[in-house]
Amino acid sequence: MSIRLPHSFLIDQHTAAIQHFEQGEKRITFRHLILATGSRPIEIRSLPFGGRILSSTEALSLPKIPRNLVVVGGGYIGVELGQMFARFGTKVTILEGGEQILPGFESELVSPVVRQLKEDEITLIT
């Protein structure tokens, strides 16, 4: 089975076009643009994907919300997934191998995120 997805492109500094195969082209004007190109999950050798170990993509496709979830990696994708599941009622623990979640970010920026995660009752282990 072949699926044809729409594609998009920038026309100028304030205009994007989305070309959909059935609906034709739609133009969108904007003042600011966030270009989110996607990501690919990275498999950890000692925790290969399969069974109860899921990639971030697979976690978004679960047929039902889990009661408990451990997120390995406290980067922005792990934090987003953990927060989303917590708000759906899952008991979430985020494990980060570094000294803080969101490694590479200034601690002044990370502090409010940590406060919010604690309010969401997410357990953080660094």
Side-chain angles (χ1 to χ4, degrees), residues 85-125:
F85 277 103
R87 291 183 178 182
F88 284 133
T90 301
K91 182 177 178 357
V92 175
T93 300
I94 297 176
L95 305 176
E96 169 54 47
E99 294 180 18
Q100 70 175 24
I101 63 163
L102 301 173
F105 286 84
E106 304 273 338
S107 59
E108 298 83 30
L109 298 174
V110 175
S111 295
V113 176
V114 169
R115 272 194 306 276
Q116 182 62 55
L117 295 175
K118 289 181 179 180
E119 284 180 29
D120 292 337
E121 299 181 6
I122 294 174
T123 302
L124 300 174
I125 300 175

Side-chain angles (χ1 to χ4, degrees), residues 57-75:
T57 303
E58 295 164 329
L60 292 170
S61 300
L62 288 171
K64 55 186 232 186
I65 304 299
R67 275 189 261 160
N68 299 291
L69 180 69
V70 174
V71 177
V72 178

